Amino acid sequence: MSRTLWMREVRRLAPFGTGSLLWVYGSRLAYQPPPQGLPEDVFLVPGACLLAPLLLGAISVAPEARTGALAFLRRQPLSLSRQYLVRVTAALAWLLPSWLLLCADSLFAVQAPPPVTNGGPGVWASLWALAFGAGLLASTIAFEALSALFLALAFGLVGSGLLLAADVLVLGMAPLTPQAVALAAFVFAGSALASSYVAFVRGELQHRSVRPLMLGTTCLAGALGLGLLGTAAAQAYTVRAVVAQLPLGGDRSRAGGRLAVSLQGATWAGDEDRVAVFARGGDAPRVLDVRGVRRPVFSPDGGRLLLFDRQRRARWLYDLDRGARAELVARPGTSFDGGEVLWTDAGPLLLAAGSGSLAAFDPRTGESNLASLPKGMRLAGVRPGAHPLVLHDAQRLYAADCPRVPARSEADLAIEPAARLGDGSRSGALSHWAEVVLSPNGRYALCRDRDAARPLVLFDLVTPEAPPRRLPLAAPSAAAPRAAPAPREAVLSIIEDGRTVSRSVERLRLLGTYSYGWDPSERRLALESPGGTVFLFDLESGRRAVLQSGRRSFPGRALAWSPSGRILALPSGAVVDVDSARLLGHAPVYAFLDEERVLLRGHRAAPLSLASALAGGAP
Amino acid sequence: MKVDVSRKRPDPSPASQTESVPGPTAQGAAPPPLEARNLGRRFGRRWVVRDLSFQVPRGSVTALLGRNGVGKSTTIQLLLGLLDPSEGEARAFGADPRRLRADLFRRTGYVSERRELLEDQSVEGLARIVAELHGPRFDRERFEDLRRRYELDPQARCKTLSKGQRARLLLALALAPSPELLVLDEPTSGLDVLVRDDFLAGIAEAAAEEDRAVLLSSHLIDDVARICDRAVILREGRPPLCGDLEALRASCSRYLVRLKGVLPASASLPLPADAVLLERDPRALTLVAQGACEHLEAELDACLPVAELERRPATLKEAFACLSAPAQGGAS
């Protein structure tokens, strides 16, 4: 490749390349997600960013045809392939910095989020290639820069529109995301490059002809077909394939019969947000046929799953038995975006807590009720039995009933004075910003004030008159086992038990920067401090033990108990016999789906949360 | 530097005025630099060039002649592989020019009719690019000599060059690698007389060097007459003529026909098929015609009231007017 010619091409593209850099940088600066309203994945800004490669592609060839440079170079001892290579690589040399500018947050001093939050460098690279390929094809077919730009826009819009629409029209996917067709974009871009090469080499640059256009159209039609096939193939993922590729998080139904795993990551087909469901017994594990969903939450009976649609900021209610899904429509002024979603045991009610209000839904009828929390109140959680809601203010914990659906009238949630569950005014553990979590059966409430370095405080909700207990997190004794670093292939992966292939996870359990886990009987509580020290509290006797002294924390992983309450899996990956405080090993780790034992093998990607437990015996 | 541009080079092939492909050249097995074999090209339904067969032998300066729109530039592009033929084949150095591509232009200097350059480059920068593309064949000293001779500023941007300067720059760039074949497409059109003389001198010098073949497309007969020894005449709707320039000229005669009486301006002239009318006034006609004199004179006597017929050799310009006429004939 001629270095002088390449440098000349780089210089020629310099104004456009610099403009692209400024354009991308400006787009990033200008983009600020609104607090509410428009979804964060507004396509406007990514679309604007895609103009950069589109423009560079469009001006790669067309202006040179107009000025005669193309004809001049054709009469030099330079093969067309090399000339094409010079043009493409010079344009790519300018595209690379703008792509880095878009993707590499470390290069930025500004706190601007990327325009597409889940569009990683791979996704952007594919979209970059798509736009550049469309521009290059148009530039080869057209003879002037302006017409090439318009043609490129048409190619890009039609191509990406067809690719995206294919998801919905052909595959019935919901929702529609550009990330899901990253592979298709790559195929499209490759085809655009190939057809532009054909047009460049075979096209008669001095004589207008429809042949390059026909060649390009044929190639692009083929690319669309391949893109569809690629997306369709991705849709037909098996659980085994998905589990092997994606990191996970998830939820287990309270009855223990089902396990929902949230799978997120980039596959060859693009960014995936899928949910897989594992069931005990004969049911084969499966990946739900909805895309772009995460945060699965089981209904109390385990028959339905609440899914969060990250693209539309909506909630789907998925009936696992019937395979049907229904969208829960938020009332005006409410949102499903933030807040924790809780099911109650009392009835088919679903509560969405956020911004000082509770939204109650009847999933069968779709009717809802919006109730405001009393001033200064926050929702702590939901527990079984009467008065399922647990709320708190800066001083006390309270019990309350769920709002009725349908509502007779919209009113504040009534709090009876007699429903006081605990007084934290003396302990100082409660404040308006305190974080309160309930034990699984609602017996205890664990509180920590976010704003102060105060100790954790435990409230006994069954005996409200009992004073709250402080949980001292002192330095560990020297005799405690040391936390070993996590195995290289860390915590979780495929689960095999005989012929069953499944996978088990626990919901992320974190309290501020503390990981915690209740044993099944709620008699003992394991706590991991931010330093990585794991404490075991016997809540009846008040004894405390240090299971592991920490020098390193493992954020994002939780403590997990075996069903027998004897074995505890630590965030470091270590497995400990609680009774003897003996370290049993690290990996593999077993988890439990009721009494069914499942094996957790190493996973290359870091899990979102998780650890699991071992029920006796050697792993 | 004074150059005798009127010098004629020896004709490498026998003088001919046939419409057939010339036979093998004196070089024996060496293929001619350019060769057309029943070459044809059409755009849509319109045939621009058809049944074109000729050679450009080494050591010759061949003129490609024809009226406007007859397909001279298209022929050159076909011969250099810049266009795909619709029928027949083009050969460059014995091979398909489309396959040779880079190698062909390593051995060929080409000055195009449109005089395209890299507009954003300076003269020096453009020479640097071309030199890198040609490699060691590109003689920088020779280019510098030519540049100085053609009075080209090395720092001048190509987009600021005049038409004549562009032509001279292209010629310098084409000659610097010492090509075996020089193809010039209307190189002197639009140039003033002085520049044209200088330009032609350069071409003549280049043609005299080594065993170089030159193909010159032009509609300026004076230029052709100064430096060419062979010619290919493209004709609309008729097979092209190919042969020695002098023989082509000698094949035509000029006739001054004095008429009996006065010929109205609107009267039609039933001229012989091979005759082309050059001038017309009420009492006389000037014709140029190709073919046997006796036969033509008899035809003229039969179709016109001839008082006196005067015949003399045609000039090259007159011969070109006759030989390049479309198939119908008679029009000037």
Side-chain angles (χ1 to χ4, degrees):
Chain A
M1 195 163 63
S2 167
R3 194 173 60 87
T4 314
L5 197 61
W6 191 83
M7 287 305 297
R8 178 248 174 194
E9 185 68 9
V10 169
R11 279 197 299 273
R12 186 179 72 84
L13 297 178
F16 306 97
T18 312
S20 298
L21 282 168
L22 293 174
W23 182 261
V24 171
Y25 187 67
S27 298
R28 284 202 54 152
L29 280 183
Y31 179 72
Q32 293 293 336
Q36 288 183 343
L38 286 175
E40 63 183 8
D41 292 345
V42 181
F43 198 69
L44 188 63
V45 173
C49 288
L50 287 176
L51 280 178
L54 194 81
L55 176 67
L56 272 169
I59 56 101
S60 290
V61 177
E64 294 276 87
R66 182 180 174 80
T67 61
L70 219 54
F72 176 81
L73 290 173
R74 278 192 104 191
R75 293 155 195 168
Q76 300 302 321
L78 175 70
S79 69
L80 288 174
S81 301
R82 287 172 62 197
Q83 192 186 149
Y84 187 79
L85 191 65
V86 164
R87 297 189 181 282
V88 172
T89 54
L92 290 178
W94 277 110
L95 280 178
L96 187 64
S98 58
W99 172 74
L100 285 175
L101 192 66
L102 188 72
C103 297
D105 287 349
S106 58
L107 297 177
F108 289 93
V110 295
Q111 295 296 321
V116 173
T117 52
N118 66 336
V123 170
W124 276 111
S126 66
L127 293 175
W128 235 234
L130 165 65
F132 177 68
L136 194 60
L137 175 60
S139 186
T140 307
I141 293 172
F143 282 78
E144 293 176 356
L146 191 61
S147 53
L149 190 58
F150 284 122
L151 197 57
L153 279 170
F155 277 144
L157 289 175
V158 171
S160 55
L162 284 175
L163 288 172
L164 298 177
D167 282 352
V168 166
L169 298 177
V170 181
L171 305 175
M173 276 172 36
L176 182 64
T177 65
Q179 291 73 37
V181 289
L183 172 81
F186 259 128
V187 174
F188 182 88
S191 181
L193 281 170
S195 55
S196 68
Y197 173 74
V198 172
F200 187 81
V201 172
R202 302 289 300 167
E204 297 158 3
L205 298 174
Q206 302 300 308
H207 301 275
R208 289 172 187 268
S209 166
V210 295
R211 191 166 59 166
L213 184 61
M214 292 168 63
L215 287 169
T217 307
T218 306
C219 289
L220 291 181
L224 287 173
L226 285 175
L228 277 178
L229 286 177
T231 316
Q235 179 75 10
Y237 266 153
T238 63
V239 168
R240 183 188 291 271
V242 172
V243 168
Q245 294 187 49
L246 301 177
L248 56 145
D251 188 30
R252 187 164 60 182
S253 65
R254 192 170 295 176
R258 280 179 170 138
L259 193 72
V261 178
S262 177
L263 307 158
Q264 299 157 25
T267 67
W268 60 272
D271 276 8
E272 289 279 350
D273 287 279
R274 304 289 285 270
V275 169
V277 173
F278 303 85
R280 184 170 61 85
D283 290 349
R286 57 176 168 153
V287 177
L288 300 186
D289 59 350
V290 282
R291 259 195 163 119
V293 291
R294 53 174 65 166
R295 290 196 236 160
V297 180
F298 273 106
S299 64
D301 61 1
R304 283 163 295 180
L305 259 183
L306 188 70
L307 305 170
F308 175 65
D309 183 335
R310 59 170 303 280
Q311 192 73 19
R312 299 168 58 188
R313 324 301 297 184
R315 298 276 181 180
W316 294 93
L317 195 60
Y318 196 96
D319 191 317
L320 293 170
D321 297 325
R322 293 189 294 133
R325 61 173 184 253
E327 183 179 3
L328 296 180
V329 182
R331 292 167 65 94
T334 63
S335 166
F336 294 142
D337 199 355
E340 191 175 4
V341 177
L342 304 165
W343 291 89
T344 66
D345 281 337
L349 291 177
L350 177 74
L351 295 176
S355 59
S357 62
L358 292 179
F361 291 89
D362 185 338
R364 294 170 302 185
T365 62
E367 292 183 276
S368 64
N369 179 16
L370 182 69
S372 298
L373 293 176
K375 191 174 182 181
M377 288 276 185
R378 297 185 69 219
L379 182 67
V382 177
R383 60 176 182 168
H387 310 302
L389 299 186
V390 178
L391 302 100
H392 73 92
D393 57 14
Q395 293 185 331
R396 294 182 181 84
L397 293 163
Y398 304 90
D401 285 327
C402 291
R404 292 186 178 280
V405 178
R408 293 193 179 91
S409 63
E410 292 191 3
D412 287 357
L413 199 67
I415 304 293
E416 297 296 332
R420 288 180 182 176
L421 293 177
D423 187 348
S425 55
R426 292 185 181 176
S427 65
L430 285 175
S431 71
H432 183 72
W433 302 108
E435 187 176 4
V436 181
V437 292
L438 302 185
S439 62
N441 294 321
R443 179 176 178 183
Y444 294 105
L446 189 61
C447 305
R448 179 172 180 268
D449 194 312
R450 288 178 181 175
D451 295 336
R454 290 172 178 166
L456 296 170
V457 177
L458 190 72
F459 290 86
D460 187 341
L461 303 186
V462 177
T463 53
E465 62 278 6
R469 261 187 281 174
R470 290 168 180 261
L471 301 181
L473 300 175
S477 67
R482 289 277 175 188
R488 194 172 174 188
E489 292 190 346
V491 183
L492 299 177
S493 184
I494 296 284
I495 301 155
E496 293 182 35
D497 184 21
R499 291 171 301 168
T500 305
V501 175
S502 63
R503 192 168 194 181
S504 176
V505 293
E506 296 279 349
R507 287 193 68 194
L508 176 68
R509 298 191 190 284
L510 288 174
L511 181 67
T513 53
Y514 294 85
S515 301
Y516 70 96
W518 304 88
D519 84 330
S521 65
E522 294 192 0
R523 283 177 49 239
R524 289 179 290 189
L525 170 66
L527 263 170
E528 185 209 18
S529 72
T533 302
V534 178
F535 299 91
L536 180 66
F537 295 94
D538 189 317
L539 302 179
E540 291 186 350
S541 66
R543 288 190 302 168
R544 187 194 67 160
V546 177
L547 295 179
Q548 172 182 281
S549 63
R551 290 181 177 175
R552 171 186 169 191
S553 65
F554 300 90
R557 298 182 191 169
L559 295 151
W561 288 84
S562 70
S564 66
R566 183 180 162 206
I567 308 297
L568 180 66
L570 306 184
S572 63
V575 181
V576 176
D577 184 326
V578 175
D579 293 340
S580 64
R582 185 166 60 90
L583 184 67
L584 297 178
H586 287 89
V589 177
Y590 290 94
F592 293 87
L593 205 57
D594 271 1
E595 295 307 314
E596 187 176 359
R597 193 175 65 174
V598 288
L599 174 65
L600 311 175
R601 283 183 182 161
H603 197 281
R604 282 175 297 179
L608 298 177
S609 54
L610 320 184
S612 195
L614 181 69
Chain B
M1 188 169 145
K2 200 78 176 170
V3 177
D4 178 14
V5 296
S6 63
R7 179 172 58 88
K8 289 286 170 40
R9 300 160 61 83
D11 186 4
S13 61
S16 63
Q17 197 183 330
T18 64
E19 297 178 0
S20 61
V21 179
T25 61
Q27 280 72 26
L34 285 178
E35 183 179 6
R37 296 177 183 169
N38 300 315
L39 196 59
R41 170 73 196 197
R42 68 179 177 185
F43 294 110
R45 292 181 180 178
R46 178 173 171 263
W47 285 93
V48 177
V49 174
R50 200 166 194 183
D51 294 331
L52 187 60
S53 296
F54 69 92
Q55 289 182 342
V56 178
R58 295 173 193 275
S60 75
V61 181
T62 303
L64 186 61
L65 302 173
R67 300 188 176 188
N68 287 337
V70 82
K72 297 189 292 295
S73 295
T74 301
T75 301
I76 287 177
Q77 291 189 42
L78 287 168
L79 288 170
L80 295 179
L82 298 172
L83 273 182
D84 292 339
S86 302
E87 66 176 22
E89 64 174 334
R91 312 290 289 178
F93 299 104
D96 186 341
R98 289 170 297 173
R99 294 182 182 279
L100 286 178
R101 190 69 78 176
D103 188 49
L104 171 62
F105 285 104
R106 192 166 287 119
R107 302 166 70 180
T108 303
Y110 180 37
V111 177
S112 68
E113 180 187 12
R114 296 182 183 179
R115 291 159 203 175
E116 298 98 342
L117 296 168
L118 301 182
E119 303 291 337
D120 55 327
Q121 293 294 303
S122 65
V123 170
E124 191 177 12
L126 188 63
R128 202 162 40 239
I129 289 176
V130 174
E132 188 180 285
L133 295 176
H134 277 276
R137 285 180 66 105
F138 193 90
D139 187 343
R140 289 303 297 259
E141 288 184 7
R142 181 168 193 194
F143 173 78
E144 286 300 313
D145 288 344
L146 290 167
R147 184 188 61 73
R148 279 192 288 271
R149 177 179 164 187
Y150 293 152
E151 297 173 350
L152 294 169
D153 179 5
Q155 303 304 324
R157 292 270 163 195
C158 290
K159 61 185 174 188
T160 64
L161 298 180
S162 69
K163 206 170 181 180
Q165 287 173 319
R166 297 168 77 91
R168 282 180 286 180
L169 175 57
L170 278 170
L171 185 63
L173 290 171
L175 292 176
S178 299
E180 298 171 48
L181 171 67
L182 193 60
V183 179
L184 309 162
D185 189 2
E186 303 277 4
T188 56
S189 67
L191 303 186
D192 64 50
V193 177
L194 293 177
V195 171
R196 196 165 75 204
D197 281 348
D198 197 26
F199 193 88
L200 289 172
I203 296 173
E205 276 181 50
E209 290 174 5
E210 303 168 355
D211 204 17
R212 182 169 294 143
V214 179
L215 178 64
L216 171 69
S217 161
S218 179
H219 60 271
L220 299 174
I221 300 302
D222 292 342
D223 295 351
V224 171
R226 288 171 68 177
I227 61 172
C228 295
D229 47 31
R230 301 185 74 249
V232 176
I233 300 176
L234 303 179
R235 305 184 294 180
E236 191 175 344
R238 301 166 72 184
L241 287 172
C242 175
D244 177 71
L245 198 63
E246 181 56 28
L248 287 172
R249 187 199 62 75
S251 70
C252 296
S253 300
R254 181 180 187 275
Y255 296 89
L256 177 61
V257 182
R258 299 187 195 285
L259 302 172
K260 297 173 182 173
V262 176
L263 191 66
S266 58
S268 63
L269 291 175
L271 295 177
D274 293 336
V276 173
L277 181 64
L278 294 178
E279 292 175 16
R280 169 179 179 165
D281 64 43
R283 294 183 180 276
L285 300 174
T286 304
L287 304 173
V288 60
Q290 182 188 18
C293 315
E294 298 77 13
H295 169 69
L296 185 75
E297 288 170 8
E299 280 192 29
L300 285 173
D301 271 334
C303 61
L304 291 171
V306 179
E308 183 185 353
L309 188 64
E310 180 185 330
R311 181 173 72 85
R312 60 184 177 88
T315 64
L316 187 59
K317 190 173 182 178
E318 292 164 345
F320 171 71
C322 175
L323 296 175
S324 65
Q328 290 77 16
S332 62

